[in-house]
Amino acid sequence: MTGAAYHHGRLREALVEEAVAAARAHGPGGVGLRELARRVGVSHNAAYRHFAHREDLLVAVADHAMTEVVGAMRVRLADLDAGGGSVEVAPVLRARRRLTAIGRAYVDYALREPGLFQAAFAALAGDGDWRRRGQGPLDLLGEALDELVDVGFLAPAARPGAEVTCWSAVHGFAMLTVAGPLAGVAVLDRAATLDTVLTSIDRSYAATTGSAADPADLIAGT
């Protein structure tokens, strides 16, 4: 993008677009106000009027990424629901599969957009729009966990704090595959390991109510 490529009053949007592109290509290290201002075609002083610090720009990148993550989760959930067709799925199995689909969508996004994914988590101490709207991945995860309680699979006493433990496991796996020792693992082996992570979460929730938790049923639906 050049200075002629944005309209007056759209400088902030232009900087965010360039920041997202830079993060996608180079991760958080690619996001710098001076360089992005140069690419947009304005002085760095003009850029600082919209973003006082680089961290402020990273928050905007995080907002973009988290919005995309939620979108990917919703697509996965819609595909899961559509895949059932006319076949009736028991409420418990449906709820279990929905939680697993959210986890898979999260990891898929991390693998598809590793630079943007890492840049997003370089800014989570900030206050992005996705936090203020209450429409982040954690909110969608919370809805899935509430559904597990509603169908009697997850005990109400085990529900508090479940978002953090569940997200920690899936995010840890995502980071291990994006920038850790699992980065070079073959695709099929990586998928099998993710199955193990997700079925372990499922099994731990089943244990809170003594429910049956057949991994084969869980994996078959997602």
Side-chain angles (χ1 to χ4, degrees):
M1 181 179 294
T2 65
Y6 73 91
H7 300 289
H8 179 70
R10 284 200 70 251
L11 178 54
R12 186 184 191 282
E13 289 83 355
L15 289 168
V16 172
E17 289 170 7
E18 287 293 343
V20 167
R24 177 172 282 121
H26 306 292
V31 180
L33 269 173
R34 286 178 176 268
E35 172 60 20
L36 293 175
R38 185 191 66 77
R39 289 172 60 179
V40 170
V42 298
S43 70
H44 62 270
N45 286 332
Y48 283 126
R49 285 198 289 271
H50 294 276
F51 297 98
H53 307 283
R54 172 179 177 271
E55 289 71 21
D56 295 337
L57 187 54
L58 279 172
V59 169
V61 172
D63 183 38
H64 178 93
M66 291 298 100
T67 299
E68 287 193 345
V69 170
V70 171
M73 289 177 172
R74 293 195 184 281
V75 167
R76 190 97 188 203
L77 290 172
D79 289 345
L80 177 64
D81 291 341
S86 60
V87 178
E88 185 175 351
V89 179
V92 172
L93 182 55
R94 177 180 182 275
R96 292 169 60 207
R97 286 178 174 176
R98 284 175 66 82
L99 179 66
T100 301
I102 286 173
R104 291 189 191 283
Y106 188 87
V107 173
D108 286 349
Y109 182 85
L111 293 172
R112 186 170 65 252
E113 296 282 7
L116 192 54
F117 182 78
Q118 292 179 79
F121 287 95
L124 284 190
D127 185 29
D129 286 345
W130 66 275
R131 280 180 178 271
R132 293 191 292 273
R133 291 194 306 265
Q135 296 177 359
L138 196 62
D139 301 289
L140 205 56
L141 175 58
E143 292 174 8
L145 291 167
D146 287 342
E147 186 177 357
L148 286 176
V149 173
D150 292 341
V151 299
F153 187 77
L154 175 63
R159 174 64 184 85
E163 289 99 335
V164 176
T165 55
C166 190
W167 195 1
S168 296
V170 175
H171 181 75
F173 178 84
M175 291 305 296
L176 287 172
T177 57
V178 168
L182 296 181
V185 173
V187 173
L188 291 179
D189 292 337
R190 185 176 63 212
T193 304
L194 178 57
D195 286 343
T196 299
V197 172
L198 295 174
T199 55
S200 295
I201 293 170
D202 181 70
R203 191 180 301 113
S204 70
Y205 291 161
T208 67
T209 55
S211 301
D214 187 343
D217 288 341
L218 189 67
I219 295 171
T222 56

